[in-house]
Amino acid sequence: MPAFLSAFILGLSLAVPVGPICLAILKKGVSHGFLPALFIGIGAILADLLFMILIYFGMAQFIFIPSVQVILYVFGSGLLMYLGIESINKRKTALQRSSSLSSSILASFWTGLSIALFNPINLMFWFGIFGSTLVEFMTEQSGSVVVYIVFLFTGILVWNISLSFLASFFGQFLSQSLLPILNVIAGLCLLLFGFHFALKLAEVLF
């Protein structure tokens, strides 16, 4: 398989599994439309790009320092629990799409960036699984690294665009009584992710 195609597929495989980012994109797309949902994904991609740069400069081992893991689990669990509670509490206000598109887009961007930066699952993938894959690829085909990275992020972006569009499109046809239920379900899922990271934090500490 050509390297660029394998990179594209790897990008899709990274983005597709249901996790905090996908949940946030779906919830935002249903309640606020395409662009706010897409900018959650763009914020997450920026964080992924930062991880890629750190890996490229040989800082992958930084993530496995116990004190760093504690910080990540604290911020990760706290952020996801906050977003989950906020989603449940604002289930009724989410029925009206934001009147200030620019502020909604900016808030969405920072939400995506924050979730990706402090999501331990995301970090373990980039610095663990993908870190070793990238190092091996750079050793074998150093001249194609930029192309490989571009197609990797293209795969992630294609999925984020598709998910944002679908959530926004179908959100227009959902009944007003169903939207709050979906926000509650998304909120509960985010809370579960938060509790999961809190348990991981307890394992690291004790």
Side-chain angles (χ1 to χ4, degrees):
M1 179 183 297
F4 71 88
L5 183 58
S6 65
F8 181 80
I9 293 173
L10 181 60
L12 283 176
S13 66
L14 171 63
V16 167
V18 176
I21 292 294
C22 281
L23 285 171
I25 289 175
L26 286 171
K27 188 175 79 69
K28 186 65 70 172
V30 167
S31 59
H32 290 81
F34 174 73
L35 280 178
L38 177 60
F39 270 81
I40 288 181
I42 291 175
I45 287 176
L46 182 61
D48 292 340
L49 183 60
L50 175 61
F51 299 151
M52 179 76 72
I53 293 171
L54 293 176
I55 291 170
Y56 184 81
F57 287 103
M59 298 180 66
Q61 295 303 315
F62 178 74
I63 193 64
F64 298 104
I65 299 173
S67 59
V68 174
Q69 291 185 342
V70 168
I71 293 172
L72 292 173
Y73 282 131
V74 168
F75 279 98
S77 60
L79 176 64
L80 293 176
M81 287 181 186
Y82 167 77
L83 291 173
I85 293 171
E86 183 185 46
S87 178
I88 294 171
N89 288 339
K90 293 185 176 180
R91 59 189 180 277
K92 294 182 180 179
T93 59
L95 294 175
Q96 299 296 327
R97 297 202 170 189
S98 175
S99 57
S100 176
L101 183 61
S102 59
S103 63
S104 179
I105 286 175
L106 183 61
S108 298
F109 173 81
W110 286 113
T111 296
L113 180 65
S114 301
I115 293 176
L117 281 176
F118 297 107
N119 180 357
I121 293 176
N122 198 33
L123 286 159
M124 292 302 176
F125 173 86
W126 282 105
F127 288 95
I129 300 172
F130 185 74
S132 58
T133 302
L134 182 63
V135 169
E136 180 182 354
F137 183 83
M138 286 190 299
T139 302
E140 295 177 354
Q141 305 182 51
S142 57
S144 305
V145 172
V146 174
V147 174
Y148 186 84
I149 292 174
V150 167
F151 275 92
L152 173 79
F153 281 100
T154 300
I156 298 173
L157 182 60
V158 165
W159 173 253
N160 287 342
I161 291 173
S162 302
L163 189 62
S164 300
F165 173 77
L166 289 173
S168 176
F169 178 78
F170 287 107
Q172 300 177 46
F173 302 101
L174 294 175
S175 66
Q176 295 294 297
S177 60
L178 186 59
L179 283 171
I181 296 174
L182 290 177
N183 276 278
V184 170
I185 292 173
L188 290 174
C189 290
L190 289 169
L191 280 173
L192 286 175
F193 277 111
F195 282 124
H196 172 72
F197 294 146
L199 291 175
K200 291 293 185 182
L201 172 63
E203 291 177 6
V204 172
L205 292 176
F206 307 107

